[in-house]
Amino acid sequence: MGDAMKKNLNYILLGLAGLLLIATIVISLTLGKKKPEATSQASTERRSIMPTITTEVVVEITDEEVEQALEPVSELITMNYRYKDVGSYTSYKTWFDDEKIPFTTDYQLFTYTGTVKLGYDFSKVTYSVDNENKKITVTLPEVEAIANEIDHDSFEVQDEKSSVFNRQSFDDFASVEKELIEKKNAEVLADDEAVEEASQNAELIMKDFLQQNEKFDEYDIVFLKAKDSKGE
């Protein structure tokens, strides 16, 4: 083999070696770029199979929150009982030992109108919340006569007997107003129909106030009367 042929063969071998080296470098670079992608994908797959943990928010209501929600109705009048009544006024003079002096008696029979306002003393209302069963129990005391307003302009004298020795004016009837009020309050509170209507009105109003608060939406609202709860 001549020197020229050996030289050409060396060139060919060097060229093949160079091509092999270049191919090796290219393959190495290509594989090196794909490895992070594979690692990232594997990491993503591991994350995707992790269980999802959800936290349920438990909403609980306290007795104090119910009381605060009903604070706007704490001075609520649940019924106005309007009436017209008959009263009498008797006045006479007495001796020092409170013995009535003859011919000194004044007597007047009169009519008048007024309004008894029925409601509750909300300081006596109690609240109980059962968060487990979603139930709010409101225990009401007995209905009370919150006010009794007599219309003084409505007084009309129907009968009058006056003594010349003790003549009284109609203005003096203000002294018996307290007695008239107490008597009428007792009569109205003895009227079961009026008391029941006042109680039902209170329940409707209080329930409406509570349901305006979204926090109470899932709760049943139950009303008890104090006298009934004592018997349970």
Side-chain angles (χ1 to χ4, degrees):
M1 182 180 296
D3 293 336
M5 185 176 292
K6 287 181 179 180
K7 188 178 290 188
N8 289 335
L9 181 60
N10 289 333
Y11 287 145
I12 292 172
L13 291 175
L14 287 173
L16 290 173
L19 290 173
L20 181 60
L21 180 59
I22 292 171
T24 301
I25 293 172
V26 171
I27 291 172
S28 298
L29 291 174
T30 302
L31 292 176
K33 290 180 179 179
K34 289 184 177 180
K35 282 182 180 179
E37 182 179 346
T39 302
S40 177
Q41 183 177 357
S43 177
T44 303
E45 289 176 354
R46 285 197 296 272
R47 287 197 298 267
S48 64
I49 63 174
M50 291 292 290
T52 302
I53 301 175
T54 57
T55 303
E56 182 181 355
V57 179
V58 179
V59 178
E60 291 192 346
I61 297 174
T62 64
D63 298 354
E64 289 74 17
E65 286 179 293
V66 177
E67 184 175 2
Q68 290 173 4
L70 292 174
E71 189 173 352
V73 297
S74 60
E75 297 181 358
L76 180 68
I77 302 299
T78 61
M79 181 183 178
N80 289 317
Y81 185 101
R82 296 178 176 83
Y83 64 89
K84 183 174 183 179
D85 211 344
V86 177
S88 63
Y89 175 75
T90 302
S91 176
Y92 52 84
K93 293 186 178 295
T94 61
W95 300 106
F96 294 106
D97 56 359
D98 291 333
E99 183 179 349
K100 183 168 63 175
I101 301 175
F103 309 111
T104 62
T105 300
D106 282 351
Y107 170 81
Q108 283 142 334
L109 182 71
F110 55 88
T111 59
Y112 64 99
T113 62
T115 303
V116 177
K117 298 180 181 293
L118 299 179
Y120 288 101
D121 180 352
F122 273 78
S123 66
K124 299 177 182 178
V125 178
T126 60
Y127 313 93
S128 177
V129 180
D130 183 349
N131 285 294
E132 182 177 353
N133 296 308
K134 301 294 184 182
K135 179 180 176 182
I136 299 173
T137 301
V138 181
T139 304
L140 299 172
E142 293 185 4
V143 173
E144 297 183 10
I146 304 300
N148 187 341
E149 300 174 352
I150 293 178
D151 181 5
H152 297 97
D153 294 332
S154 69
F155 276 92
E156 292 183 5
V157 176
Q158 305 299 326
D159 187 22
E160 183 175 19
K161 295 178 182 178
S162 299
S163 166
V164 293
F165 300 106
N166 187 38
R167 192 167 188 82
Q168 300 286 337
S169 68
F170 191 68
D171 293 337
D172 294 329
F173 291 165
S175 62
V176 297
E177 184 173 355
K178 181 179 179 181
E179 181 181 344
L180 295 175
I181 288 175
E182 291 177 350
K183 178 182 176 183
K184 195 62 188 180
N185 286 351
E187 289 179 6
V188 175
L189 292 175
D191 185 338
D192 292 339
E193 186 175 342
V195 169
E196 183 60 26
E197 183 177 344
S199 177
Q200 290 178 357
N201 289 343
E203 292 179 12
L204 289 173
I205 294 169
M206 295 172 73
K207 190 171 185 177
D208 182 61
F209 262 89
L210 288 176
Q211 290 178 336
Q212 289 179 20
N213 190 325
E214 295 181 355
K215 198 170 183 180
F216 302 121
D217 280 349
E218 299 179 359
Y219 285 74
D220 291 327
I221 303 171
V222 178
F223 291 91
L224 294 178
K225 294 180 174 61
K227 60 181 180 180
D228 296 334
S229 62
K230 289 179 182 178
E232 292 180 353

